[in-house]
Amino acid sequence: MKEPQEIKKSPNTSELIKDMKESFRTSFLTDWYSTLTGFLSGSKSFYVMLAIGMVVIYAGAMGAFDAIRIGYRHAYGATREVTWGILISTYVFFVVTSTGLCIVSSIGHVFGVKDFMPIAKRAVFLSIVTIMAGFTIIAFEIENPFRMAIYNVLSPGLTSNIWWMGTLYGAYMFFMIVEFIFLHLENHKLATYAGLAGLISGIVAHSNLGAIFGMLHGREYWYGPYLPVYFIASALMSGCAAIIFFTWLGYKITSEKMDRPMIRSMEVVAKLCTLMIAIVLFMIIWKIITGFAGGPGKTEVLKAMLSGPYAINFWVFEMGLGLVIPFILFLTSRWSNLNTMFLATAMMMFGIFFMRYDLIVLGQIVPQFHELGVNEYKGLLHYLPSFHEILIVLMGIAMTMTTFVLGEKVFQGHKSEIH
Amino acid sequence: MKKLKIDLENLKNEGLASVSPMERREFLKIGLAITGVFAGGTLFSAVSNINRVFASPEEMAEKYPYKPHYSMVLRQSRCIDCERCVEACNKTNEVPDYGYRTRILERDVPDAIGMKREFIPVLCNHCNNPPCVRACPTKATTKDKKNGIVMMHYEKCIGCKSCVLACPYDARYFNEEKHAIDKCNFCIDTRLSKGMKLTACAEACPAGVRNFGDLSDANSDVYKLVHQLERPVWVLRPEVGANPNVFYMKG
């Protein structure tokens, strides 16, 4: 590794640039050279993982291009009535995770809480990886992504949450990348500013993502201020789970042992994770109870979720794997057993995926004309992901996993000095 | 269908001797109208709003801010589901077979006396507070400032479909040929701009269900239909608060 840079008392701009150039030459380039050699000397399982990841990405990309060729209407399970399917829910899954990782990293990097520092570098890296996976998936959901690039600028719809989503997440990704670069240049002051900008844009972007659904006043199950708030709480929970999950895996890949600060960090993050599970559970329970006092737009959804076709999704995946079992595992292991914590967070990652799926699909299963009592819309609507959609989802997951594995090698386990 | 919540069986019978058959009939009509039995629970006070006495022409202009303020009044009970409106719409506006701009829904009411099925034509409601317009990220769909029609600008549509989700009336679909969302525009491009007075569906309807016109014109059919006290007029899904310009009535 490199020599730590001397901190200058009051650097002016030219000095700062000189400083950055210097640190780039001395640290960044040598860093890359040494990681290249490190990468080539990877273990066999490392290459196997990479190969599997590449194959899945390739299959997903083929599926995506085939969907473009035959048209999304034919390729996807989404319909006129259930317009948004698993692609949107997976996109939400990834950006929730990304925002959560950003918040968790900021506790250490921006607010200076020591116990959160060891995990922060990896969290910043993964927040970039997951947001990119999310963007990749939504690129194959939006019919004309190129028009979006043009008319988001030329004809901005400022009342639209989708416009703000594109703009704010764009800014968020930019700041996170800048933060990551400054972290590697060991310029912690600028990294902190970039981190703060990333955190603010991330939180605004993410609550706005909740508002995409929360502001649809024709959709009773979603409408209201609940979702923007829930999305932030849920993001922090997902972020905690993701960083424990990936840190444990990272240490397995490099087959290193965690040092004391890292173990301590994992413990603290797991405690925060437990608290966030409790908060999210609390929100879900109140959402259900208040929903039953409402009209069919809510009660029909809740019935489908609790005892209807989505009961397995809800009770087994969302509640069981996503929240309750990990909660119990955290409590009973007293946050000290790393393997138990990994198991708990792996379950959570799986369960949370279903949580997003249910949120998106359930909001659409009650037809718009349900209460009119017409024959066409007496029952609830159905949606099943198509083969193409599943391929694209797998591509997003494989992209995340592959980039993560690569990142562990390239950035040598995201080690960070205590600063 | 919603059931009456009053415990009828335990009500004391006051006898029918003093009530004339006409009175009974009128009373039942009011009851059914208020509870919205025949309107599928969708009957809300469109009447009370629309029949407000306007203090001045200015106030009326405020109520109908567009000129012409295009509107459609559907005399629902006249619909026989011949689907000529749908056919005319599809032909005029080149609607593909996988989509529709307007359609006719049917509702069975097994416990109704007499006719047990009714048809409800639906289309874009050209709302005054359109949820779809708010949701669009690129202003590809707008509320026309002159005539209040909710328009599509196909070249700007990115196909995110958030307007499809936002619409409370299921009036939007993705058109593959246009690479954009498509919806009813009251035939503004295909007919009204060419000097024709009616939309394709209104012209094709043989039963006088679809009445199209300018709501800001006190002499128009739609104005006269909507502004009568004795006939309930309603809109679909009023709870959303979109303030639609498509009205429904019977008779």
Side-chain angles (χ1 to χ4, degrees):
Chain A
M1 296 292 282
K2 60 245 123 196
E3 296 292 315
Q5 292 291 311
E6 271 187 46
I7 300 157
K8 295 197 169 68
K9 287 273 150 47
S10 57
N12 59 34
T13 324
S14 62
E15 271 180 345
L16 204 69
I17 293 168
K18 215 176 112 197
D19 189 30
M20 278 167 61
K21 275 186 185 161
E22 180 66 18
S23 64
F24 185 77
R25 209 176 59 234
T26 54
S27 66
F28 210 63
L29 292 183
T30 48
D31 227 25
W32 276 89
Y33 179 73
S34 65
T35 49
L36 184 70
T37 48
F39 174 68
L40 292 172
S41 65
S43 64
K44 203 173 153 193
S45 61
F46 168 69
Y47 288 115
V48 171
M49 273 191 281
L50 269 190
I52 294 171
M54 292 300 189
V55 168
V56 178
I57 292 173
Y58 180 74
M62 288 300 107
F65 288 120
D66 191 50
I68 292 173
R69 191 180 61 81
I70 63 175
Y72 292 167
R73 183 172 67 85
H74 304 277
Y76 297 164
T79 56
R80 175 178 183 140
E81 282 86 13
V82 184
T83 320
W84 284 347
I86 197 169
L87 293 185
I88 291 285
S89 81
T90 310
Y91 163 75
V92 170
F93 171 77
F94 278 121
V95 297
V96 171
T97 310
S98 175
T99 315
L101 285 163
C102 163
I103 302 174
V104 178
S105 78
S106 74
I107 299 175
H109 273 170
V110 178
F111 300 109
V113 179
K114 276 240 151 48
D115 283 339
F116 282 83
M117 280 178 181
I119 50 108
K121 223 172 187 175
R122 183 180 276 105
V124 172
F125 176 71
L126 286 170
S127 76
I128 299 167
V129 171
T130 44
I131 189 93
M132 281 180 167
F135 279 162
T136 308
I137 287 175
I138 205 172
F140 294 106
E141 156 69 36
I142 289 176
E143 302 265 359
N144 309 309
F146 297 110
R147 279 189 203 167
M148 184 176 184
I150 299 166
Y151 287 106
N152 252 23
V153 181
L154 292 185
S155 176
L158 297 182
T159 56
S160 161
N161 301 105
I162 298 269
W163 187 85
W164 285 101
M165 178 187 87
T167 310
L168 289 165
Y169 272 127
Y172 163 78
M173 193 169 80
F174 171 77
F175 288 129
M176 293 314 281
I177 291 172
V178 169
E179 182 188 3
F180 190 68
I181 290 171
F182 280 131
L183 281 176
H184 276 266
L185 293 174
E186 297 286 323
N187 191 330
H188 292 290
K189 200 168 178 192
L190 288 180
T192 305
Y193 287 136
L196 182 63
L199 175 69
I200 293 169
S201 51
I203 288 195
V204 180
H206 198 59
S207 53
N208 170 71
L209 182 71
I212 285 180
F213 307 101
M215 283 184 76
L216 297 179
H217 41 131
R219 303 277 175 180
E220 220 184 312
Y221 182 66
W222 287 335
Y223 180 61
Y226 173 85
L227 283 179
V229 180
Y230 168 82
F231 265 48
I232 296 295
S234 189
L236 187 47
M237 178 184 82
S238 303
C240 291
I243 196 60
I244 295 171
F245 175 79
F246 281 115
T247 306
W248 189 92
L249 272 184
Y251 276 81
K252 283 287 151 199
I253 289 167
T254 49
S255 46
E256 282 185 45
K257 268 191 100 74
M258 287 188 195
D259 54 12
R260 281 200 76 83
M262 183 53 108
I263 292 172
R264 168 80 188 137
S265 188
M266 293 284 270
E267 189 188 318
V268 175
V269 176
K271 279 181 181 165
L272 180 61
C273 190
T274 318
L275 172 69
M276 291 320 294
I277 294 176
I279 291 173
V280 168
L281 265 174
F282 181 79
M283 292 188 81
I284 291 175
I285 289 167
W286 274 113
K287 171 87 176 161
I288 293 170
I289 295 173
T290 54
F292 272 117
K298 284 187 178 123
T299 51
E300 293 286 321
V301 173
L302 291 174
K303 274 186 234 159
M305 183 173 96
L306 299 175
S307 57
Y310 294 86
I312 292 176
N313 276 13
F314 180 74
W315 291 112
V316 178
F317 295 114
E318 265 193 56
M319 278 304 208
L321 294 180
L323 300 166
V324 177
I325 299 173
F327 189 73
I328 294 169
L329 283 177
F330 278 135
L331 284 184
T332 51
S333 71
R334 309 277 310 149
W335 303 282
S336 57
N337 188 330
L338 284 172
N339 293 341
T340 314
M341 272 159 37
F342 169 74
L343 179 69
T345 53
M347 281 178 174
M348 283 178 78
M349 298 298 282
F350 198 66
I352 290 168
F353 183 85
F354 282 86
M355 213 181 273
R356 309 293 168 238
Y357 177 82
D358 290 351
L359 177 74
I360 303 305
V361 176
L362 281 169
Q364 302 171 70
I365 58 166
V366 177
Q368 296 284 37
F369 287 126
H370 189 62
E371 283 183 69
L372 201 56
V374 289
N375 301 347
E376 287 86 349
Y377 295 122
K378 275 210 170 108
L380 297 179
L381 299 166
H382 298 283
Y383 164 77
L384 262 185
S386 73
F387 179 64
H388 284 90
E389 284 174 305
I390 291 169
L391 270 182
I392 295 170
V393 166
L394 289 176
M395 174 174 71
I397 295 168
M399 273 177 70
T400 310
M401 292 310 284
T402 312
T403 326
F404 157 71
V405 170
L406 272 174
E408 289 301 320
K409 276 284 169 199
V410 173
F411 300 109
Q412 294 161 336
H414 302 280
K415 293 272 184 333
S416 62
E417 300 76 30
I418 302 294
H419 14 265
Chain B
M1 209 170 77
K2 279 178 182 164
K3 291 240 162 64
L4 280 172
K5 288 211 175 98
I6 308 163
D7 191 1
L8 289 171
E9 292 192 358
N10 292 332
L11 279 177
K12 208 179 140 201
N13 191 345
E14 292 169 341
L16 292 170
S18 60
V19 186
S20 77
M22 274 313 284
E23 271 182 293
R24 280 180 61 196
R25 190 178 290 174
E26 285 305 310
F27 173 76
L28 279 173
K29 265 191 188 169
I30 294 166
L32 292 174
I34 288 170
T35 53
V37 169
F38 285 143
T42 57
L43 187 81
F44 277 79
S45 52
V47 185
S48 61
N49 261 331
I50 222 134
N51 280 313
R52 251 178 47 215
V53 178
F54 297 113
S56 62
E58 286 77 34
E59 198 189 333
M60 198 185 110
E62 208 174 286
K63 173 94 183 139
Y64 302 120
Y66 305 102
K67 188 75 199 166
H69 192 115
Y70 285 127
S71 167
M72 193 175 278
V73 181
L74 294 149
R75 305 177 78 165
Q76 188 183 302
S77 52
R78 294 182 172 203
C79 181
I80 52 167
D81 196 25
C82 67
E83 306 249 338
R84 284 195 207 173
C85 52
V86 179
E87 277 168 34
C89 173
N90 291 353
K91 219 178 131 191
T92 310
N93 301 303
E94 291 172 347
V95 179
D97 56 358
Y98 56 83
Y100 60 84
R101 285 183 175 199
T102 183
R103 75 183 292 200
I104 296 171
L105 303 172
E106 56 178 52
R107 192 157 75 95
D108 285 329
V109 189
D111 47 352
I113 297 159
M115 203 168 67
K116 295 187 192 308
R117 171 174 289 180
E118 64 175 351
F119 303 104
I120 309 172
V122 289
L123 67 158
C124 170
N125 280 237
H126 298 278
C127 312
N128 282 353
N129 176 25
C132 53
V133 170
R134 185 203 63 78
C136 180
T138 54
K139 293 184 185 159
T141 189
T142 52
K143 178 96 175 149
D144 192 287
K145 285 196 172 69
K146 258 183 88 181
N147 55 33
I149 293 176
V150 175
M151 301 285 290
M152 272 305 302
H153 312 286
Y154 300 115
E155 77 287 353
K156 287 185 187 174
C157 176
I158 66 167
C160 68
K161 295 165 192 160
S162 54
C163 60
V164 180
L165 272 112
C167 176
Y169 304 103
D170 196 11
R172 294 170 162 268
Y173 71 100
F174 187 79
N175 185 311
E176 280 180 344
E177 288 73 31
K178 288 176 172 148
H179 286 286
I181 298 294
D182 188 39
K183 65 177 284 299
C184 162
N185 57 3
F186 276 158
C187 295
I188 183 80
D189 52 339
T190 47
R191 292 176 61 89
L192 297 189
S193 63
K194 293 172 184 165
M196 285 175 260
K197 287 273 175 275
L198 292 177
T199 61
C201 57
E203 194 182 71
C205 181
V209 178
R210 291 176 183 252
N211 300 274
F212 177 76
D214 175 9
L215 202 53
S216 68
D217 173 10
N219 295 316
S220 70
D221 287 349
V222 285
Y223 182 90
K224 285 175 189 161
L225 283 172
V226 162
H227 292 79
Q228 356 176 29
L229 253 187
E230 64 272 26
R231 280 218 181 122
V233 178
W234 65 92
V235 296
L236 300 180
R237 304 198 64 194
E239 77 282 1
V240 175
N243 297 347
N245 282 307
V246 170
F247 300 93
Y248 291 80
M249 65 188 297
K250 303 251 169 157

